[in-house]
Amino acid sequence: MSGEQVRPDELTFEEGAYLVRLARRSVEYYFEHGKRMPIPSDAPEGLLRPGAAFVTITTYYGPEARELRGCIGYVYPVKSLVETVIDVAVEAAFNDPRFPPMNRNELPRVTFEVSVLGPLEPLPSTPEERVKSIVIGRHGLVAKKGFLQGLLLPEVPVEYLWDEETFLAETCVKAGMPPTCWLDSDTEFYRFTSRAWREKTPMGEVEERDLRREYESLIERYGSKRER
């Protein structure tokens, strides 16, 4: 592995679609062989550079009805992007502590989504500037203080129709801190950009999500944030 971190904005649609299919292949391989899938020979060269990514698995009930089944990722580019997706797909399927391990008969009923993360960027220390630094649908957040750390992907505030302050507060909660921790300058906050690709239906075509458009459409439909 060599080179600079893969940034979300440099990926082609085809590369994003490849990563989604790779996530599914990784879990299928694990079911078949009981071990991690090796780097496939068809991996695009650009995806062999370091990369940070999350894999989200959802049980599919319809285009607007998906239920979280597992989500695990690497915040930092500790491996090549291909290796990262292979690893975290298996972790999301079998080792997310919120859910029991996936069984094989679920594969035709779940969709895979891959979010490729950019580098972390520190937010200002004042609450007002932190709020102004966030764009819902574009940024994910990391809160960190001492040994506590929590991350929320850009997809999360879109799904729940959070505003910027709620997004900050919920990131505090994710990190195991009070929801007001974002008002404290001693709590470190970072933002990151990402792009997300997912299966439209289980084992189906891949689409890239336009999170900002999704957010605006949901605001028009519901008028205010939904309850978590």
Side-chain angles (χ1 to χ4, degrees):
M1 180 182 70
S2 61
E4 295 183 356
Q5 177 177 354
V6 177
R7 294 176 178 265
D9 58 6
E10 68 181 272
L11 293 174
T12 65
F13 174 83
E14 290 74 21
E15 289 170 329
Y18 176 89
L19 292 172
V20 173
R21 298 189 185 101
L22 179 65
R24 179 175 284 275
R25 287 165 61 189
S26 175
V27 174
E28 291 172 341
Y29 187 94
Y30 193 88
F31 273 123
E32 186 69 26
H33 301 281
K35 61 181 181 180
R36 198 194 81 156
M37 175 183 176
I39 296 176
S41 59
D42 64 354
E45 184 176 354
L47 303 184
L48 298 177
R49 288 163 41 207
F54 274 67
V55 168
T56 303
I57 303 173
T58 55
T59 303
Y60 182 84
Y61 300 106
E64 296 185 4
R66 302 175 195 242
E67 184 177 12
L68 183 64
R69 182 63 181 82
C71 181
I72 299 286
Y74 293 162
V75 182
Y76 304 102
V78 295
K79 297 185 177 183
S80 73
L81 185 53
V82 165
E83 289 178 288
T84 292
V85 170
I86 290 172
D87 281 359
V88 300
V90 169
E91 291 297 309
F94 301 104
N95 296 316
D96 187 325
R98 297 169 291 181
F99 305 97
M102 181 181 293
N103 58 64
R104 192 190 294 264
N105 63 17
E106 289 183 79
L107 279 172
R109 298 185 285 110
V110 298
T111 55
F112 285 79
E113 178 171 335
V114 175
S115 301
V116 178
L117 280 56
L120 299 184
E121 305 170 345
L123 292 190
S125 59
T126 64
E128 296 81 5
E129 292 302 315
R130 285 177 172 175
V131 172
K132 294 178 182 178
S133 299
I134 302 168
V135 177
I136 302 294
R138 175 170 174 76
H139 295 123
L141 290 178
V142 173
K144 187 176 181 182
K145 187 173 185 179
F147 294 108
L148 298 175
Q149 178 172 306
L151 175 146
L152 289 176
L153 294 170
E155 291 94 317
V156 178
V158 171
E159 178 181 353
Y160 294 111
L161 291 183
W162 292 339
D163 58 19
E164 293 82 0
E165 292 187 7
T166 306
F167 190 15
L168 286 160
E170 292 289 347
T171 308
C172 293
V173 174
K174 182 73 172 183
M177 292 184 277
T180 54
C181 83
W182 66 278
L183 301 170
D184 181 1
S185 61
D186 291 334
T187 305
E188 298 174 45
F189 260 90
Y190 302 87
R191 71 179 186 185
F192 60 88
T193 60
S194 73
R195 289 170 66 191
W197 293 263
R198 71 178 177 185
E199 295 174 323
K200 290 183 180 180
T201 58
M203 301 180 289
E205 295 182 6
V206 175
E207 63 181 352
E208 180 175 359
R209 298 183 65 179
D210 185 336
L211 295 173
R212 187 65 190 174
R213 180 174 295 178
E214 288 182 31
Y215 185 68
E216 293 171 351
S217 176
L218 289 169
I219 289 289
E220 289 180 4
R221 185 183 306 178
Y222 295 104
S224 64
K225 69 179 182 129
R226 294 183 286 180
E227 292 301 320
R228 184 169 183 176

